[in-house]
Amino acid sequence: MPKSILIDCDAGIDDAQALFLALSSPEVNVVAITIVQGNVLPKQVAVNVLRILRVAERLDIPVYVGSEKSILGNERRHDVEPYHGWDGLGDSPDPEPVDESLINPESASAAIVRICNEFRGSLTLVCLGPLTNVATAIRLDPSLGQTIQQCVIMGGNYYGRGNSTVCSEFNFSCDPEAARIVLTQLGGPITVVGMEVCRDNAVAWGDYDSLRKTPSKINDFLKRIEKKPFEKIRTNQIEWSRYTPFDEFAMAVVVDESAIVKESKEVFATVEVKGEYTYGMMVVDWSKILKRSNNVKIITKVDNKEFLKMLYRPVNWK
Ligand code: RIB
Ligand code: CA
């Protein structure tokens, strides 16, 4: 039986890659997609998700939109060009607009609560953006953690180095309070795919170029949306030296954990919400000083050969 999953995302380019991986994998069945503020504002993320679902011919999957604001009510500044482009997908619009009437009127958090309870115990929550919707869902239904099989999160960091601020990974930096609520109050099995394990297993550009050589509709779409942002990275205008599909790492763990995960650590982790430099940093009690029960499983090593093989699934699918 395929694993039923609900994906909460802020599509972005690597969210698109992760969605295509999920849709091309028989091990999982995507039952819904919820939209969270992050790479770009939720309304734009929703358009992006519909663009992705149209390429995959899966516009049957319901899409729900969340709040533009963080759990504390802060709005994200979008005055600098986002890494994923102003529209979140490399600023390379499709010739045809999407049908926005497909966006479901139910709010993302209410949909998360309803669907998790409908699938009682058999749903995997996959979080690929800031955790605003899931934190709100916990406030709506404090028993949310008992209704899910697993929550897999792309986000956080465990060695204090950030990719958004000096000490914070992007998804956690967008809404640190929400991230703290989810890690410490969900009360269900949480797997964290942090930025370090993605960075440590990033794909060489030569392998990326071979991946994108396969003629396919999904490859054509991904090449188009990746063109501008990746040109910047590859001409070293941005520090990243290799192809790092953060969200696709998390989705690979969801699709086939036994093939992908080589090492994980059960720890107590929370999120700093007061630090001048460390606001949004994931704080891991490696030395068990706080004497708190473990609340997350952090993936620390993956099989990057298996991961590279998995990247070919979507592009060989459609
Ligand atoms: O830090 C990487 C994460 O931030 C990814 O989810 C990417 O899509 C951005 O949201
Ligand atoms: Ca994302």
Side-chain angles (χ1 to χ4, degrees):
M1 274 289 278
K3 192 189 289 187
S4 298
I5 70 172
L6 184 154
I7 303 171
D8 189 65
C9 71
D10 63 336
I13 290 171
D14 58 333
D15 303 72
Q17 294 153 353
L19 285 170
F20 284 131
L21 174 57
L23 294 169
S24 61
S25 297
E27 297 90 336
V28 299
N29 172 39
V30 182
V31 299
I33 297 172
T34 52
I35 304 294
V36 67
Q37 54 84 19
N39 286 313
V40 288
L41 290 173
K43 190 173 175 323
Q44 183 61 55
V45 175
V47 167
N48 293 348
V49 166
L50 291 174
R51 288 178 62 190
I52 294 157
L53 292 177
R54 178 166 63 183
V55 171
E57 297 166 62
R58 288 301 312 274
L59 284 166
D60 57 293
I61 295 173
V63 175
Y64 306 88
V65 179
S67 162
E68 289 198 358
K69 297 184 176 176
S70 71
I71 196 92
L72 289 186
N74 303 323
E75 284 191 13
R76 253 192 87 62
R77 289 179 40 207
H78 285 279
D79 48 5
V80 290
E81 182 174 1
Y83 159 73
H84 298 266
W86 289 108
D87 74 356
L89 289 185
D91 295 325
S92 169
D94 296 342
E96 286 301 314
V98 289
D99 175 4
E100 295 185 35
S101 71
L102 291 171
I103 298 168
N104 197 297
E106 184 179 16
S107 76
S109 305
I112 290 171
V113 169
R114 175 176 56 78
I115 296 167
C116 287
N117 278 283
E118 282 167 6
F119 280 81
R120 201 141 197 93
S122 64
L123 189 82
T124 295
L125 209 39
V126 185
C127 306
L128 305 178
L131 292 167
T132 313
N133 291 335
V134 180
T136 307
I138 291 170
R139 286 290 172 266
L140 292 171
D141 177 1
S143 71
L144 191 76
Q146 281 78 55
T147 69
I148 59 169
Q149 189 170 63
Q150 184 187 21
C151 177
V152 179
I153 296 168
M154 190 285 127
N157 54 335
Y158 42 79
Y159 289 143
R161 176 179 175 183
N163 65 357
S164 172
T165 66
V166 66
C167 289
S168 176
E169 174 279 328
F170 179 84
N171 288 336
F172 279 28
S173 73
C174 284
D175 200 341
E177 290 77 12
R180 182 168 175 137
I181 288 169
V182 174
L183 293 196
T184 60
Q185 299 178 31
L186 175 66
I190 298 175
T191 297
V192 167
V193 180
M195 60 170 268
E196 291 89 349
V197 75
C198 301
R199 273 273 181 77
D200 294 349
N201 295 278
V203 176
W205 285 113
D207 290 330
Y208 166 81
D209 292 335
S210 309
L211 172 67
R212 291 286 178 259
K213 276 207 182 85
T214 311
S216 90
K217 196 164 64 146
I218 286 178
N219 240 352
D220 294 345
F221 181 80
L222 288 174
K223 272 188 290 192
R224 183 155 59 85
I225 66 172
E226 291 163 354
K227 187 170 183 315
K228 278 188 215 154
F230 286 16
E231 270 165 5
K232 276 190 193 164
I233 305 175
R234 297 183 78 167
T235 53
N236 288 322
Q237 291 172 27
I238 296 182
E239 167 245 354
W240 296 356
S241 58
R242 293 190 300 166
Y243 169 52
T244 315
F246 293 96
D247 292 332
E248 203 161 13
F249 278 100
M251 192 57 76
V253 170
V254 173
V255 166
D256 191 350
E257 183 161 351
S258 58
I260 296 293
V261 176
K262 283 167 67 175
E263 181 190 79
S264 61
K265 301 263 169 69
E266 301 282 349
V267 292
F268 173 75
T270 183
V271 178
E272 180 54 64
V273 291
K274 293 198 177 75
E276 180 185 352
Y277 294 106
T278 55
Y279 182 54
M281 181 177 106
M282 182 164 80
V283 177
V284 180
D285 185 12
W286 293 112
S287 310
K288 310 228 177 284
I289 288 167
L290 300 173
K291 308 254 186 294
R292 298 281 296 269
S293 340
N294 294 339
N295 58 338
V296 303
K297 175 169 77 173
I298 293 182
I299 305 299
T300 47
K301 285 198 183 116
V302 298
D303 184 325
N304 50 26
K305 289 186 179 48
E306 281 301 316
F307 179 66
L308 185 57
K309 266 167 50 184
M310 205 177 262
L311 295 183
Y312 277 85
R313 283 194 185 195
V315 301
N316 289 331
W317 174 55
K318 272 199 170 86

